[in-house]
């Protein structure tokens, strides 16, 4: 009833001042954040995060030591589901794709949800040693920062909100996603937005990642990845000399690809990451392949590089067929799409970004905005406000995607950052 009254007052105002102007002035993000930070409930939640620092670290270590390579997140997902249930959301479940989901109801009940997520998967293959090593307040292990400690922080958020009896206007859907890293190609978040039970019900999205809480990712770098294979008839290196050779075509293609001109802004990049193939040193090979990665802040620029790359591959095959004998067969080039991440942005003027900025500043940090490739790409590409936010103090993590990945869990800066991260979520979901 109250909202109906409010609507009847604000509508004429909106009409009088122009809809967007009136809406922008109706929310004072900084004032709202101050109100939340000063509330007894938030102070109780912050005090609990402080008391629970050791537990957050321990649970992060426990989860880090359960391997979660791409497509093999299941064991970690099951453990996280149990922990989420124990944290106060007994209905936590695993969806068809492997994501862990748990809904915390809000007071408003408009049927829409705000997602607060972190990703389960790491880039590391199954046999990687994931035992956590301690050095002072630093923890070393593959995946410890990206993104496993964020899973533990999600649990701490839930426990803090439950014990302080925090009420939010919006329903919050806590999610641990699968498939955020390269080969997973955002399969978890893609399922969430295009197939799962909450598709069309998500109004905004947070991904919590390992970086500093001062850094807000509001741009999603799009990428396309291909495996290009050159096939040919093969033969003996001496006896069949003169036949077309797929490796020569591949080499020519790589060289041409390296010369594509791209804009510095919007930043557009390309690389060959892996190359392979061949039969033996004394054979003209049957095939050779390479995996290429192209990225851009702009979808049209990405498409231009992609089209050029595909043309170069065909031309290289044709060039080799022209240069040498095709009497035993021709070289063919086959390009297979192995990665497709859409690009997108969340405007810094959206309420979501304004709340995040106000909360980060209230925490005493200086905000910076950046582009990256994360789970937020998917909602951004659909026009749904999404941000990837941090949960650690600035410069307290490093070497992610490497075997000597580390994070610093020193209590005071970590608790302050985690508390700020929680304040972003609570401001954006309308803590009462
Ligand atoms: Zn990550």
């Amino acid at each position: 009833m109250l909202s109906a009254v409010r609507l009847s007052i604000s509508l004429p105002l909106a009409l009088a001042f122009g809809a967007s102007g009136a809406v922008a002035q109706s929310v004072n993000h900084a004032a709202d954040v101050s109100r939340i930070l000063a509330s007894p409930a938030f102070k109780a939640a912050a005090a609990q995060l402080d008391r629970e620092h050791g537990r957050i670290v321990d649970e992060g270590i426990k989860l880090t030591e359960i391997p979660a390579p791409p497509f093999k997140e299941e064991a970690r997902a099951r453990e996280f589901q149990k922990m989420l249930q124990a944290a106060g959301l007994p209905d936590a479940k695993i969806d068809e794709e492997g994501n862990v989901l748990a809904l915390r109801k809000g007071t408003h009940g408009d049927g829409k949800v705000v997602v607060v997520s972190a990703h389960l998967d790491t880039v590391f293959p199954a046999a990687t040693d994931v035992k956590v090593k301690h050095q002072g307040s630093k923890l070393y292990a593959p995946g410890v920062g990206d993104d496993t400690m964020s899973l533990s922080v999600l649990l701490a958020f839930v426990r803090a909100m439950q014990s302080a009896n925090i009420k939010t206007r919006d329903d919050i859907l806590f999610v641990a996603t699968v498939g955020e890293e390269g080969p997973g190609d955002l399969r978890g978040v893609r399922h969430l937005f295009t197939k799962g039970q909450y598709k069309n019900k998500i109004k905004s999205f947070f991904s919590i990642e390992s970086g500093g809480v001062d850094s807000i990712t509001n741009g999603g770098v799009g990428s396309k990845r291909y495996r290009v294979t050159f096939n040919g008839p093969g033969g003996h290196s001496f006896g069949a000399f003169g036949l077309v050779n797929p490796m020569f075509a591949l080499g020519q293609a790589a060289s041409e690809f390296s010369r594509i001109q791209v804009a510095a802004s919007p930043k557009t990049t390309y690389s060959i990451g892996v190359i392979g193939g061949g039969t033996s040193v004394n054979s003209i090979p049957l095939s050779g392949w390479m995996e290429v990665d192209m990225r851009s802040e702009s979808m049209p620029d990405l498409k231009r590089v992609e089209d050029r790359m595909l043309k170069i591959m065909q031309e290289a095959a044709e060039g080799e067929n022209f240069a040498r004998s095709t009497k035993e067969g021709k070289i063919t080039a086959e390009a297979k799409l192995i990665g497709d991440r859409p690009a997108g942005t969340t405007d810094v003027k959206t309420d979501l970004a304004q709340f995040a900025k106000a909360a980060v500043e209230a925490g005493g940090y200086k905000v910076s905005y950046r582009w990256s490739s994360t789970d937020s790409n998917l909602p951004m590409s659909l026009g749904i406000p999404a941000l990837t936010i941090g949960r650690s103090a600035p410069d307290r993590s490093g070497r992610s995607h490497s075997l000597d990945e580390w994070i610093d869990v020193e209590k005071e800066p970590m608790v302050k950052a985690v508390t700020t991260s929680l304040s972003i979520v609570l401001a954006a979901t309308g803590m009462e």
Side-chain angles (χ1 to χ4, degrees), residues 128-174:
T128 309
D129 178 7
V130 288
K131 185 104 184 98
V132 177
K133 291 165 194 75
H134 302 248
Q135 203 180 87
S137 59
K138 277 177 155 186
L139 303 179
Y140 287 83
V144 64
D146 183 11
D147 187 26
T148 319
M149 195 55 74
S150 304
L151 295 169
S152 180
V153 166
L154 284 189
L155 297 171
F157 282 2
V158 173
R159 283 193 302 267
M161 290 172 73
Q162 294 297 94
S163 76
N165 197 21
I166 285 179
K167 291 188 170 54
T168 58
R169 175 195 61 223
D170 297 324
D171 290 357
I172 300 179
L173 184 66
F174 289 95

Side-chain angles (χ1 to χ4, degrees), residues 52-310:
E52 280 207 338
H53 169 258
R55 181 173 181 182
I56 299 171
V57 172
D58 288 346
E59 291 185 343
I61 291 172
K62 183 177 181 185
L63 288 165
T64 300
E65 293 181 346
I66 304 171
F71 300 101
K72 295 196 180 93
E73 299 99 333
E74 204 184 324
R76 184 179 288 185
R78 273 201 308 271
E79 184 58 36
F80 185 74
Q81 177 194 18
K82 272 193 259 163
M83 292 162 98
L84 201 47
Q85 289 168 339
L89 298 175
D91 295 333
K93 59 168 194 174
I94 298 180
D95 72 10
E96 306 82 0
E97 192 67 34
N99 301 308
V100 186
L101 311 178
L103 187 70
R104 189 177 190 273
K105 292 291 279 180
T107 55
H108 194 69
D110 63 355
K112 299 266 184 174
V113 303
V114 176
V115 170
V116 179
S117 70
H119 64 87
L120 287 160
D121 58 318
T122 73
V123 295
F124 301 96
T128 309
D129 178 7
V130 288
K131 185 104 184 98
V132 177
K133 291 165 194 75
H134 302 248
Q135 203 180 87
S137 59
K138 277 177 155 186
L139 303 179
Y140 287 83
V144 64
D146 183 11
D147 187 26
T148 319
M149 195 55 74
S150 304
L151 295 169
S152 180
V153 166
L154 284 189
L155 297 171
F157 282 2
V158 173
R159 283 193 302 267
M161 290 172 73
Q162 294 297 94
S163 76
N165 197 21
I166 285 179
K167 291 188 170 54
T168 58
R169 175 195 61 223
D170 297 324
D171 290 357
I172 300 179
L173 184 66
F174 289 95
V175 183
T177 60
V178 292
E180 192 271 346
E181 298 290 0
D185 208 25
L186 306 184
R187 68 186 180 99
V189 73
R190 205 182 297 270
H191 179 86
L192 193 66
F193 279 92
T194 61
K195 294 202 190 95
Q197 103 180 76
Y198 292 99
K199 78 166 188 179
N200 304 327
K201 292 184 182 160
I202 302 170
K203 64 175 176 187
S204 54
F205 180 89
F206 284 108
S207 172
I208 301 180
E209 279 274 6
S210 60
V213 71
D214 57 322
S215 169
I216 297 171
T217 300
N218 72 317
V221 179
S223 68
K224 286 270 181 129
R225 290 157 184 173
Y226 280 86
R227 182 176 176 119
V228 185
T229 306
F230 293 87
N231 293 303
H236 194 283
S237 60
F238 190 73
F241 181 66
L243 294 187
V244 287
N245 184 324
M247 288 302 187
F248 292 156
L250 187 150
Q252 184 64 31
S255 165
E256 283 296 319
F257 181 56
S258 76
R259 286 192 273 269
I260 295 180
Q261 299 287 316
V262 284
S265 177
K267 187 174 177 182
T268 304
T269 67
Y270 54 80
S271 172
I272 298 172
V274 197
I275 232 167
T279 312
S280 67
V281 70
N282 56 345
S283 300
I284 298 168
L286 291 164
S287 77
W289 54 266
M290 60 181 156
E291 290 182 355
V292 306
D293 170 90
M294 297 160 285
R295 300 182 181 223
S296 181
E297 295 171 356
S298 133
M299 289 303 266
D301 284 67
L302 183 60
K303 177 88 169 61
R304 263 195 291 283
V305 179
E306 180 189 12
D307 289 347
R308 183 80 191 104
M309 184 279 295
L310 292 170

Side-chain angles (χ1 to χ4, degrees), residues 15-80:
L15 293 172
F17 292 108
S20 60
V23 170
Q25 284 161 22
S26 68
V27 184
N28 184 332
H29 304 89
D32 222 25
V33 167
S34 304
R35 171 187 64 79
I36 289 168
L37 296 183
S39 71
F42 185 81
K43 284 182 175 163
Q48 164 140 346
L49 291 175
D50 186 78
R51 276 196 307 276
E52 280 207 338
H53 169 258
R55 181 173 181 182
I56 299 171
V57 172
D58 288 346
E59 291 185 343
I61 291 172
K62 183 177 181 185
L63 288 165
T64 300
E65 293 181 346
I66 304 171
F71 300 101
K72 295 196 180 93
E73 299 99 333
E74 204 184 324
R76 184 179 288 185
R78 273 201 308 271
E79 184 58 36
F80 185 74

